[in-house]
Amino acid sequence: MKSLKVKYITLILMGMTFVVSCEKDFLEREPLSAVTPEQYLNDESQLAAYAIERYNMFPTHAQWSFGTFGIDVHTDNMATFGYDNKFVPGQWRVGQSGGSWWFDNIRQCNYFLETVLPKWEAGEITGSPQNIEHYIGEMYFFRAYDYFTRVQLLGDFPIITETFPDDMEVLTEASKRQPRSEVVRFILSDLDMAISLMSSSSPDGGKNRLNKACAQLFKSRVALYEGTWLKYFAGTPFVPNGPGWPGAEMDYNQGYQYQTGSIEAEIQWLFEQSMEASSQVANSYSLESNNEVLQQSIDDPSNPYFDMFSAVDMSGFSEVLLYRRYDGGLSITHNVPVYAQLGNNGVGLTRGLVESFLMENGLPIYASGSGYQGDDYISDVRANRDGRLWLFLKEPEQINVLFNTNAGSHITPVEPVPNITNTNLEQGYSTGYAIRKGLNYDGAQCNNGGGYTGALVFRATEAYLNYIEACYEKNGSLDGTASTYWSAIRNRAGVDSNYQLSISNTQMTIEAQNDWGAYSAGQLIDPTLYNIRRERRCELMAEGLRWMDLKRWRAMDQMISEPYHIEGFKLWGPMQDWYTPSSLTYGTPSARVSSPDLSDYLRPYEKTGNELVFNGYEWTMAHYLEPIAAEHFLITGGPTSVIYQNPGWSTSPNSAPTDL
């Protein structure tokens, strides 16, 4: 086994990929840090270097993708040219190996903590005491961050706080899944440690390393996630002690009780935790200003709210808590600016998202007196709308480049008519609706793969939104703090701050046609809660949080019986004249667009009639959690494995889930 460890480390150092085929190997491998000299992790700089390696856990702008702006694809917000099999019941199957039952980041954090904490307590680490504490806090944060990822993907999960010897009995015991509520308690405990240890500003004084507010914001996210999950999945196998909960089959989970005494009390406690943590951030960080200008000339003033999402240096924006900085000189680059100017790398906004935005007067588009001009043209869609849609939804003939207009090799100076008949990711427009978030007006950013704009990781606005939602979920009403936060967000967005006007004019049966978040557990929610979710959807569009929200709200049940059709812009109206008739082929195996017989709106997944989702997206309950791959059960005992499968899934490889 020792030779296997050496081989694995060597392969990693060579930059190769090694696929672990044995759970035992995977759990007991030493971290890469173990190959360093024994004196490592004895001074502040070594702690800082070890911690910085964990920053690759955050979503960021990968070289050839739309970066963080494309994460929301395959939701009701964003689509691309190919559908997702998770919306085709029977197509997502149990894997033979791999999956999200994965411990590498957790092991790296545990190695650091079990090595450093004794030295720290003994005063054996040299350097600034404040900085040493900060870097230890970072590692508590990263362990919590990865554990939250496991909870979202798998639910119940082992709680592991140490690295293990090469002992199968020990490793098997460590594989026992703990109830998700206990895992979340563990995550919050780690975040409390991070909050207590990290400084209000990072040791380097910038926003490229974590600070205390990042941990507070993340704590509010975790607590809100689990509070809403427990609330909306109560009475199902997806919560501890729910009917059919697979964890109950294990002796080690017998007699489980929530720490507050009941699931109802646990939910309330979680919402309280979210409110407390989010208010600490929201009260300390103001929202960046929006002058409601879409810069189209070098004589126009720049708009800080717009620039915040595509700046090279994001440290000067008030609500930015953490971002990743790139460097063109060091060739640490990406292609997001190129994609932001042309087609978004095939990621398009959906009709559902676009229609959810209010008018600037605070009314839904269908309300009497709203002033909505319809959707025959994209310019009509944008007119008099919520300032975020007006600012970030692109339309043809808008200016994309204002500076260094001849500098980049892949500049798109003027926004073209959306090329919906080209399925090349780098040239086509999947829905006809493209987003402007992430666009930088500097042509020097548009050398192929040479962009170096920053990537946002955390911004304070989420704390405002978390507080509003947690407050309403906990109390059934909004307190003064929530009202203040909501008004601030709407004022910045350029929407009438009277959210009660929006609520009183909301018709849930209409909203439900285009917004999965109108539902929880297959039932329409009330208009106040819906408008809170609407605000979150509009403010955080294309920031990678939509799937997380939809899961915790249990917002896909309705698609078990009623398929949902992903749609884009209104192709079969006047905008069809943008294209030659011969290019708008439909109803054939080589169709380029969807048929007008299906809808006036472009359906990117329903062109040929042969798509598995031609009749719409469908859902099955098991898909709220991923299956654990079959090999992990075999390694830990086979029929007597200490691991249990997630609801609806089998332990047999290549098997589809059953109905719940």
Side-chain angles (χ1 to χ4, degrees), residues 477-488:
S477 61
L478 297 174
D479 61 19
T481 300
S483 294
T484 298
Y485 292 165
W486 201 351
S487 295

Side-chain angles (χ1 to χ4, degrees), residues 559-627:
M559 290 191 288
I560 295 173
S561 58
E562 185 66 31
Y564 181 90
H565 298 274
I566 297 291
E567 295 185 327
F569 76 166
K570 189 178 180 181
L571 169 62
W572 298 109
M575 285 189 288
Q576 68 181 289
D577 295 335
W578 288 351
Y579 311 95
T580 60
S582 61
S583 69
L584 299 180
T585 57
Y586 55 87
T588 69
S590 59
R592 298 185 181 182
V593 297
S594 56
S595 168
D597 294 335
L598 298 177
S599 173
D600 289 340
Y601 299 89
L602 178 63
R603 292 185 173 180
Y605 306 146
E606 302 174 29
K607 296 177 181 179
T608 70
N610 296 321
E611 299 92 347
L612 293 177
V613 293
F614 185 78
N615 293 317
Y617 268 8
E618 298 180 54
W619 190 248
T620 186
M621 284 293 293
H623 288 186
Y624 279 111
L625 292 176
E626 292 186 4

Side-chain angles (χ1 to χ4, degrees), residues 418-431:
N419 189 348
I420 58 172
T421 62
N422 189 334
T423 57
N424 183 310
L425 288 176
E426 296 193 340
Q427 299 173 14
Y429 287 63
S430 57
T431 68

